[in-house]
Amino acid sequence: MAERTTAGRGDFLSRGGQYEYRTLTIPRTTDGNDARRMLTYEAEYGRWELARTRMYVGGERRVLLRRKIIRVQSTLGADLD
């Protein structure tokens, strides 16, 4: 049986991992339930995770989302012994 280890964010970055980022601006007229629903949708279907949330004086919210960039290596030229 293979041994499993839990890798944190620092471990992912130290192994050369990268994130892509997306900024959402939520207007002050949007209530909390609608904002939560929108962020839940992005997390479930877009594979985004919440990186930072800022609320400004006027009530506007800016949300920074991130997700891991996964690079796939081709196995077409690999020796299949």
Side-chain angles (χ1 to χ4, degrees), residues 20 22 40-49 66-67:
E20 65 177 307
R22 179 177 176 192
T40 301
Y41 181 83
E42 293 293 334
E44 287 185 14
Y45 299 109
R47 309 300 282 173
W48 293 97
E49 63 184 35
R66 71 176 183 192
R67 66 180 169 190

Side-chain angles (χ1 to χ4, degrees), residues 27-79:
R28 66 181 197 88
T29 56
T30 305
D31 69 345
N33 287 333
D34 289 339
R36 186 179 308 112
R37 190 175 305 121
M38 181 175 56
L39 293 174
T40 301
Y41 181 83
E42 293 293 334
E44 287 185 14
Y45 299 109
R47 309 300 282 173
W48 293 97
E49 63 184 35
L50 186 64
R52 176 175 289 159
T53 302
R54 289 196 171 184
M55 181 174 263
Y56 292 92
V57 175
E60 179 181 85
R61 286 170 263 186
R62 288 207 184 134
V63 178
L64 183 64
L65 303 173
R66 71 176 183 192
R67 66 180 169 190
K68 293 179 181 178
I69 298 174
I70 300 172
R71 292 195 166 66
V72 179
Q73 295 180 352
S74 175
T75 58
L76 294 176
D79 190 19

